[in-house]
Amino acid sequence: MTLGVAAGRVRRVGAGLLDGLLDLVLPATCAGCDEPAARVLCERCQAAFAGVRPERTRPDPEPDGMPPTFALAAYAGALGRAIVQYKEENRHELTGALGGMLARVVPRALAGHAGPVVLVAVPATAAAVRKRHGDHMLRLARAAARVLRRQAVAEVAIARPLRALPKGGDSAELSAAQRAVAARQAFVVHRGRAADLGERVRRAGAAVVLVDDIVTTGATLAAASERLASAGIPVDRAVVLAATQRHEGPGSRPRSTRAASRRGGARS
């Protein structure tokens, strides 16, 4: 074997190793549109998300106890695909992008509030944590908090006063009424953490914001809010990435959002 041939083989092997490393570090496709991309979200999807304005959303019917809820956009198109990729395909590299989107919803939800903010992520069950290699919403809440602190939007903290109990089955197969019943049995309050959060609310006037990825019937947000209320912690708002009531399109808004805007926005 000549020196030149050997050098060529070394270069090919090196190039193959580099390509493999790049495949591990860089996503091969955009999580929003599945088109080839060097980043987790392509420029077109990033531009589409940047143009969306968070709005109030209401399921129909709206369950009792559901806090005023704001969504970035509809659970459709590029945003819907990105959420699925993050949750079900374990594309954790989306944490920063989705956390940043979630951070955009918080100031909109708390318009007029100038005090501290405490984000409470709706907790995942132990089974979901194992499947997703961590609590996916806690990761997003922490990412959102970092963005809000960096932007000096507010003094932001994370609290974990709730624990999720094992689920009895697939909620996708349940009716809205059945989901409400299941949701009321889904959480327990961690008394020590709840006491600390309640003290922070009383002393500093902190706004408590529930954080989730998707709102469908609102049963989960209502149940989590009621659990916190039973521990003396009022929930001021809830923020989500997406709402299932929608017009089709990657940046479309929930239909219920537009109706809520006509009715005058969030309750105080």
Side-chain angles (χ1 to χ4, degrees), residues 17-202:
L17 289 174
L18 179 59
D19 288 342
L21 289 172
L22 288 175
D23 285 342
L24 290 174
V25 175
L26 298 175
T29 60
C30 169
C33 65
D34 293 331
E35 292 295 321
R39 304 178 67 179
V40 67
L41 291 172
C42 69
E43 291 184 2
R44 184 177 65 178
C45 285
Q46 290 184 62
F49 295 145
V52 177
R53 183 172 181 263
E55 292 288 357
R56 173 75 186 275
T57 183
R58 284 187 173 100
D60 185 16
E62 184 175 359
D64 293 337
M66 181 180 174
T69 301
F70 289 74
L72 178 70
Y75 184 55
L79 181 59
R81 283 191 291 270
I83 292 172
V84 170
Q85 289 284 305
Y86 171 68
K87 287 178 63 174
E88 308 305 335
E89 301 299 327
N90 286 324
R91 290 189 68 171
H92 293 182
E93 67 271 24
L94 277 160
T95 300
L98 294 179
M101 293 181 207
L102 197 60
R104 290 172 50 199
V105 188
V106 176
R108 170 67 175 151
L110 291 176
H113 174 78
V117 177
V118 180
L119 303 182
V120 176
V122 172
T125 64
V129 168
R130 289 192 297 271
K131 177 183 176 183
R132 295 167 182 159
H133 306 291
D135 188 320
H136 73 291
M137 280 314 306
L138 182 60
R139 277 197 304 266
L140 291 189
R142 286 171 171 165
R146 287 193 293 270
V147 171
L148 292 168
R149 291 177 191 131
R150 189 163 61 244
Q151 296 175 346
V153 172
E155 178 186 333
V156 184
I158 301 290
R160 302 174 63 186
L162 294 174
R163 181 169 64 87
L165 298 174
K167 286 186 177 181
D170 185 359
S171 61
E173 303 298 323
L174 302 179
S175 67
Q178 290 169 330
R179 283 192 186 203
V181 172
R184 285 196 291 272
Q185 301 168 347
F187 305 108
V188 293
V189 174
H190 187 294
R191 292 297 172 184
R193 294 174 181 174
D196 291 343
L197 176 55
E199 186 67 15
R200 186 180 302 176
V201 171
R202 286 188 292 273

Side-chain angles (χ1 to χ4, degrees), residues 68-71 102 105-106 109 209-213 237-241:
T69 301
F70 289 74
L102 197 60
V105 188
V106 176
V209 179
L210 274 177
V211 178
D212 208 353
D213 51 0
R237 295 289 188 270
V239 299
V240 299
L241 284 169

